[in-house]
Amino acid sequence: MEYRRMGKTGLELSVLSYGSWVTFHKQIDEAPADELMSIAYDAGINFFDNAEVYALGESEKLMGRILKNKNWDRTSYTVSSKAFFGWRGKENKPNQTGLSRKHLVEACHEALQRLQLDYLDLFLCHRPDKGVPMEEVVWTMNTLIQQGKILYWGTSEWSAAEIMEAHRVASLLHLIGPSVEQPQYNLLERDKMEAEFTNIFRTVGMGTTIWSPLASGLLSGKYNDGVPEGSRFALEGFGWLKERWMVEDKLQKVRQLAEVANELGTAQSTLAIAWCIKNPDVTTAILGATKKEQLQENLKALDVLPALTPEVMQKIDAIMQTKPRQAEY
Ligand code: NDP
């Protein structure tokens, strides 16, 4: 395993990590979740990602039970939670979502209870909240750090301007600003990581825990000839995701990627994940997996990394046609 410092912080995260969105509670329960987290941990993964909204709190409870059973040394791994969407779904009332001091503090307490932990290593604002002053968000996160309930705070799917505003406020008030952002990043979604955020990586030095490295599985090639039974796009309630990704133009590109993977003698998913972590601005790529074979295949990305020469990267760019014009690397 390779470990990278999270932006300008001292924290070292494994370049591959494991998250529970869609999978925990909805697709897999105790035994497979235990097996997958164990494979991840044994491979050197030291970061597990979660959020209050995943399976409406049940994902954190499941991860918490596994962490308790495993009894791994608490200093050997890191865990995140994210607040914004709440966990009561349609029952959410005022103050049970968003980034107010009330919700952030309560969401932190609830995540700690569900995960059965004394502190969160990372606590992220799952989306920006235009209804809450930035001073309130920064003060609250700073207070949670001072109280020892969280160690680092960050953002997810914030714009560069919003992240810079948080840093401006933190600097003005001598408080601790956000140190990590969680954006989507994969071969089909490159703009934020390679264009919009270029300056914040160089200036305030945000780390990144990137999500959906396989575009929900599309980049593995599994959807090239339709939707396999039991896969994410076949799940009830996930039609919006299928509609978003199963577009002919995208599928054509994914089919062509198979040639590059074949030439390198690797699986397409392994190649797609290796491509993500080739970008040095990625601190960690959060893997999702419902089966151990998937996780094992995805973990091989580290072995494929050295094969991604400039020639191979150019070939991939020519197929995907998604490289933003401002990209610097
Ligand atoms: P991916 O894009 O890697 O998709 C993972 C899914 O693809 C798996 O659950 C599995 O689904 C399928 N898959 C994985 N590996 C393979 C393989 N080798 N072959 C075939 N199919 C495979 O990641 P996620 O979208 O799951 O995102 C990863 C994590 O990022 C989440 O768990 C979460 O922690 C975080 N996240 C954060 C968000 C945010 O807003 N901050 C948003 C979304 C995710 P299946 O078997 O069901 O087909």
Side-chain angles (χ1 to χ4, degrees):
M1 185 54 67
E2 179 190 333
Y3 298 88
R4 294 184 184 172
R5 300 261 183 209
M6 191 178 76
K8 280 190 178 164
T9 74
L11 186 70
E12 291 179 281
L13 296 183
S14 51
V15 71
L16 298 175
S17 44
Y18 184 57
S20 61
W21 179 56
V22 187
T23 59
F24 275 36
H25 186 72
K26 188 167 182 66
Q27 290 176 287
I28 60 175
D29 58 17
E30 220 86 16
D34 182 309
E35 184 180 35
L36 288 163
M37 280 182 66
S38 302
I39 292 171
Y41 184 81
D42 291 343
I45 282 182
N46 74 352
F47 170 48
F48 297 102
D49 185 62
N50 222 318
E52 60 171 357
V53 71
Y54 294 171
L56 301 179
E58 295 300 326
S59 164
E60 290 184 333
K61 287 187 199 164
L62 178 52
M63 191 175 275
R65 288 195 295 276
I66 293 167
L67 289 171
K68 191 164 178 93
N69 285 342
K70 289 286 153 195
N71 202 21
W72 293 320
D73 185 339
R74 181 66 182 91
T75 61
S76 67
Y77 63 87
T78 62
V79 180
S80 71
S81 182
K82 301 188 280 289
F84 176 81
F85 295 104
W87 57 269
R88 294 167 180 88
K90 292 192 179 87
E91 308 296 319
N92 276 321
K93 293 187 173 62
N95 301 317
Q96 292 176 340
T97 60
L99 302 181
S100 66
R101 175 171 296 123
K102 180 165 171 66
H103 185 61
L104 284 178
V105 170
E106 288 171 347
C108 176
H109 291 168
E110 289 170 338
L112 290 173
Q113 279 168 16
R114 286 190 290 257
L115 287 160
Q116 304 189 54
L117 296 174
D118 296 329
Y119 60 91
L120 297 169
D121 300 276
L122 307 184
F123 191 39
L124 310 186
C125 301
H126 211 157
R127 290 294 180 269
D129 187 343
K130 295 193 189 324
V132 177
M134 193 61 83
E135 286 78 2
E136 183 168 337
V137 175
V138 177
W139 259 117
T140 304
M141 290 302 203
N142 192 84
T143 303
L144 290 171
I145 291 175
Q146 304 305 324
Q147 291 173 339
K149 291 173 186 164
I150 67 173
L151 303 187
Y152 301 88
W153 78 276
T155 58
S156 179
E157 293 298 327
W158 283 30
S159 67
E162 287 159 339
I163 292 168
M164 284 314 294
E165 173 63 2
H167 276 279
R168 186 190 69 78
V169 167
S171 167
L172 196 70
L173 302 174
H174 301 289
L175 303 173
I176 299 171
S179 48
V180 60
E181 154 69 19
Q182 186 168 117
Q184 180 176 195
Y185 184 53
N186 55 52
L187 276 159
L188 290 159
E189 287 285 338
R190 301 174 59 170
D191 288 359
K192 275 204 162 205
M193 279 296 293
E194 295 181 34
E196 184 182 343
F197 287 167
T198 322
N199 278 340
I200 62 170
F201 293 142
R202 310 286 169 261
T203 53
V204 290
M206 298 291 281
T208 58
T209 58
I210 64 118
W211 60 268
S212 282
L214 292 179
S216 272
L218 189 91
L219 289 161
S220 72
K222 71 195 288 180
Y223 295 107
N224 285 356
D225 303 310
V227 180
E229 207 177 311
S231 63
R232 183 175 290 182
F233 292 169
L235 294 178
E236 207 185 311
F238 284 83
W240 59 274
L241 202 60
K242 179 181 160 211
E243 270 170 38
R244 174 165 184 213
W245 289 118
M246 285 197 67
V247 180
E248 196 44 40
D249 166 59
K250 292 184 170 58
L251 284 166
Q252 264 179 28
K253 291 173 177 174
V254 176
R255 287 185 194 112
Q256 286 180 59
L257 263 188
E259 291 167 30
V260 184
N262 284 341
E263 279 167 23
L264 296 177
T266 188
Q268 230 173 298
S269 60
T270 317
L271 171 66
I273 290 163
W275 178 89
C276 290
I277 59 174
K278 173 89 177 159
N279 183 340
D281 292 322
V282 170
T283 310
T284 182
I286 315 174
L287 306 176
T290 54
K291 298 178 184 64
K292 76 170 184 194
E293 294 75 21
Q294 292 177 353
L295 187 55
Q296 282 160 345
E297 188 169 89
N298 300 349
L299 283 166
K300 288 188 192 144
L302 283 163
D303 306 329
V304 173
L305 205 47
L308 297 186
T309 59
E311 294 73 31
V312 174
M313 293 296 271
Q314 272 170 20
K315 209 169 185 174
I316 294 173
D317 284 342
I319 293 172
M320 301 309 291
Q321 299 286 323
T322 48
K323 184 174 179 156
R325 272 196 293 155
Q326 299 94 316
E328 280 182 359
Y329 79 101

